Amino acid sequence: DGGITQSPKYLFRKEGQNVTLSCEQNLNHDAMYWYRQDPGQGLRLIYYSQIVNDFQKGDIAEGYSVSREKKESFPLTVTSAQKNPTAFYLCASSSRQASGNTIYFGEGSWLTVV
Amino acid sequence: GENVEQHPSTLSVQEGDSAVIKCTYSDSASNYFPWYKQELGKRPQLIIDIRSNVGEKKDQRIAVTLNKTAKHFSLHITETQPEDSAVYFCAALNSGYSTLTFGKGTMLLVSP
């Protein structure tokens, strides 16, 4: 768990602004994920990446973008097109695809729109 | 894609009682089912998982059972303690995309 670092932990965004959440892992994991957590909604998948330079949309990708230029890094940009971005964002990784391999989570980033 | 239903949404028990949380899934090809515990303001942490080649797995006070025919799996916590109070999430592997789909969570409250 300690090998996944998210920053910042708290972030305030003005409406109309893009913000980028950082996620770095030193676990040598191939796969990385971004989840969004809202009260009573569980964890919903935004984007995931199984290898460098490749990523796929999850269930709620609209208004978000990602990149995977390095194995260790998977930043998430919350764009102005995301109408309700206030949430707790969790980055995660696993050794390969999630097919039976444990997913480990970072400590999360709280994003609030002001 | 996979759909995971989790019940109940909240569960209150007295210390020492048992707690059971149930989940159903839709993808009959799913073969991996982890359970995560999330304390307030913290990250989810894996507490136990089960693969489809077994029907039950136990780790001290925690056990998980799996019924593939009925497509449901359950978390059992015995001799509950106040520190067991947290939100618990079940998940199932989405076989088509190798990602996990999570239930909406169960808030477990253990009263001393």
Side-chain angles (χ1 to χ4, degrees), chain A residues 1-2 33 35 37 40-43 45 48 50 88 90 97-103 105-107, chain B residues 31-32 36 38 41-46 49 51 87 89 93 97-105:
Chain A
D1 285 358
Y33 314 82
Y35 286 89
Q37 187 172 23
Q41 293 295 320
L43 288 78
L45 183 65
Y48 64 103
Q50 296 169 351
F88 186 49
L90 285 159
Q97 299 172 11
S99 52
N101 289 300
T102 303
I103 283 184
F105 287 91
E107 293 189 348
Chain B
N31 59 9
Y32 177 63
Y36 285 83
Q38 186 179 31
K42 298 189 176 181
R43 75 183 91 187
Q45 294 195 309
L46 179 76
D49 57 15
R51 288 168 173 74
V87 178
F89 292 98
L93 181 69
Y97 303 97
S98 295
T99 59
L100 289 177
T101 297
F102 286 83
K104 293 187 176 181

Side-chain angles (χ1 to χ4, degrees), chain A residues 3-49:
Chain A
I4 303 172
T5 302
Q6 288 187 238
S7 62
K9 188 170 180 65
Y10 302 97
L11 184 61
F12 297 90
R13 188 195 93 170
K14 294 182 179 180
E15 288 194 18
Q17 284 184 336
N18 293 353
V19 294
T20 297
L21 306 180
S22 170
C23 179
E24 303 279 334
Q25 54 99 359
N26 61 5
L27 301 170
N28 198 34
H29 285 171
D30 295 297
M32 297 187 73
Y33 314 82
W34 274 105
Y35 286 89
R36 169 178 171 147
Q37 187 172 23
D38 297 280
Q41 293 295 320
L43 288 78
R44 293 182 290 169
L45 183 65
I46 305 173
Y47 268 98
Y48 64 103
S49 168

Side-chain angles (χ1 to χ4, degrees), chain B residues 20-40:
Chain B
V20 180
I21 302 170
K22 299 181 179 181
C23 290
T24 61
Y25 61 98
S26 60
D27 183 357
S28 56
S30 289
N31 59 9
Y32 177 63
F33 308 92
W35 285 88
Y36 285 83
K37 174 184 180 182
Q38 186 179 31
E39 297 177 351
L40 188 63

